[in-house]
Amino acid sequence: SYPAIRALRQHYPNAKITWVTRPYAHALAERCPDVDKAISYDYSKNGKHVFPLGYGRLLKQLRRERYDMAFILHPTMRTNLLAWLSGIPYRVGYNGSMRFLLTHTTIDMRSQGSQHESKNALSVVKAFGIDPPQGTSNIYLSESDNVAAIDKLKEIGVGYDKFIVLHADASCASKRWPW
């Protein structure tokens, strides 16, 4: 999602960008310099946004913020409906489930695994006429994250100045790098 967020910031430099994300990615969203606010959307069994009351609480928060656009990069029936019920005028996402709730769509090629998830996310912002970002996208870690990683590497006997980590596979085809 980082490249799509970066593209939005470059296209709308003065916009207030809020990133609604799952709890496990919330800290990364908060650290992204292109994001002004991160909202943790927890609809797990005991989460604060579980349907119906918790969903209503998040809906009320989004309506109060009066957002102009929603770019739905990881769609579900629930997220498309949330954007629509929030009264957001422009809703951009994939042409899959509940696409009639969106104002702009792009072809959903994620299940084909023909391109990486970052390019799929960029196709969503491109559906609204926004070009890919200039430069590179990064993952922003805190100093404590870096220290913890270095400590872990020392603990397992790996020098942290010269190593390469590869994770070439994923459970979802669109998150795999093409071979």
Side-chain angles (χ1 to χ4, degrees):
S1 300
Y2 274 110
I5 300 295
R6 184 77 186 135
L8 291 171
R9 175 56 69 208
Q10 288 179 357
H11 194 80
Y12 299 108
N14 299 316
K16 176 186 173 189
I17 296 178
T18 300
W19 193 349
V20 179
T21 185
R22 297 296 308 275
Y24 58 81
H26 183 76
L28 290 174
E30 282 185 314
R31 292 183 189 120
C32 179
D34 296 317
V35 172
D36 298 297
K37 180 179 180 180
I39 297 174
S40 182
Y41 178 28
D42 186 2
Y43 54 86
S44 63
K45 184 178 178 182
N46 296 315
K48 70 179 186 176
H49 299 119
V50 70
F51 191 81
L53 295 178
Y55 190 82
R57 199 171 18 259
L58 179 59
L59 178 59
K60 184 177 179 182
Q61 178 183 358
L62 295 176
R63 287 183 75 79
R64 189 174 46 246
E65 298 279 343
R66 301 178 56 90
Y67 292 102
D68 298 308
M69 298 175 220
F71 292 86
I72 303 166
L73 306 179
H74 302 282
T76 63
M77 241 175 30
R78 179 180 29 246
T79 54
N80 287 356
L81 185 61
L82 186 64
W84 182 73
L85 290 172
S86 296
I88 299 171
Y90 297 100
R91 300 169 306 278
V92 188
Y94 296 106
N95 64 349
S97 177
M98 306 281 273
R99 69 178 164 261
F100 64 91
L101 298 173
L102 304 174
T103 59
H104 298 75
T105 61
T106 188
I107 297 170
D108 188 355
M109 298 175 48
R110 294 170 304 139
S111 64
Q112 296 174 14
S114 59
Q115 60 185 14
H116 189 263
E117 185 67 15
S118 60
K119 289 192 178 188
N120 291 326
L122 283 170
S123 73
V124 173
V125 297
K126 189 174 182 183
F128 201 70
I130 297 172
D131 294 326
Q134 300 296 313
T136 60
S137 294
N138 297 308
I139 294 177
Y140 301 91
L141 303 174
S142 69
E143 186 58 33
S144 64
D145 293 332
N146 290 329
V147 169
I150 291 168
D151 288 347
K152 186 64 173 175
L153 291 170
K154 286 179 182 175
E155 179 184 314
I156 61 173
V158 175
Y160 62 90
D161 58 339
K162 295 180 183 178
F163 70 97
I164 297 172
V165 176
L166 296 176
H167 186 278
D169 200 16
S171 60
C172 178
S174 67
K175 294 180 182 177
R176 295 180 188 140
W177 288 101
W179 299 102

